[in-house]
Amino acid sequence: MKVILTYGTFDLFHVGHVRLLERLSKLGDKLIVGLSSDEFNKGKGKSSFFSYEERAEILSSCKFVDLVIPEHTWEQKAADIKKYNVDVFAMGDDWEGRFDSLKSLCDVVYLPKPKVSRPLR
C-alpha cells in the first residue's frame, strides 16, 4: 500500500482544495492529511474561520481523504512519516524546496496548484 501525506490548514474549504486532494489521492492508495491545529495556526500568526474540529470533519467527509491527523508543529513531519509508513510527502508547489530535507525518509513531491476558474458575470 502506497501512503501519501500532505499538510495544510484547509480553512474555507473550496473546489481548489478538492482538486488538490483528488490529485494527491491518485499518487497512492491512502491519503493522510495533517491538519494545522488552532494552536499551531495561532503560533504562525493565523486564525481560521472554522475550528480544527470543524475543518477535520469537513476533510474527513471528502472521499479522497482516508485519515486526518493534527499538525501541532513544523518539526513533527519526520515523525509522522515514520509513524504512518509514508511513501510520498506531497505539498503544493508554493512550498517548493521547503521540505527537501524529508527526501531521506520518503519521496517528496511538489504539485502545481490547480487552476480554479470562475464564470464571468
Side-chain angles (χ1 to χ4, degrees):
M1 175 179 286
K2 192 171 186 182
V3 179
I4 312 304
L5 175 64
T6 193
Y7 290 85
T9 300
F10 295 95
D11 197 25
L12 300 177
F13 197 76
H14 55 77
V15 70
H17 290 134
V18 173
R19 291 175 183 167
L20 179 62
L21 293 169
E22 179 181 21
R23 291 172 58 218
L24 290 168
S25 73
K26 290 179 178 178
L27 296 176
D29 305 301
K30 180 177 184 178
L31 176 59
I32 301 171
V33 177
L35 181 63
S36 298
S37 68
D38 294 330
E39 297 78 18
F40 184 46
N41 278 338
K42 187 175 181 179
K44 295 186 287 184
K46 297 171 119 183
S47 63
S48 297
F49 182 83
F50 291 111
S51 69
Y52 171 84
E53 291 78 15
E54 292 167 319
R55 291 180 288 120
E57 184 177 340
I58 291 166
L59 273 175
S60 294
S61 72
C62 179
K63 68 181 181 179
F64 304 115
V65 176
D66 297 294
L67 178 64
V68 177
I69 61 172
E71 178 186 27
H72 297 292
T73 68
W74 290 110
E75 298 77 23
Q76 81 180 64
K77 290 171 180 60
D80 288 345
I81 288 168
K82 293 173 188 172
K83 178 178 180 177
Y84 295 102
N85 297 311
V86 171
D87 299 290
V88 178
F89 176 89
M91 295 290 286
D93 63 359
D94 51 332
W95 292 95
E96 184 101 31
R98 178 86 184 258
F99 300 108
D100 287 354
S101 62
L102 300 173
K103 288 182 177 181
S104 63
L105 301 173
C106 64
D107 291 334
V108 176
V109 174
Y110 300 100
L111 293 177
K113 293 272 180 148
K115 302 275 189 262
V116 178
S117 60
R118 303 180 92 192
L120 296 174
R121 295 180 186 209

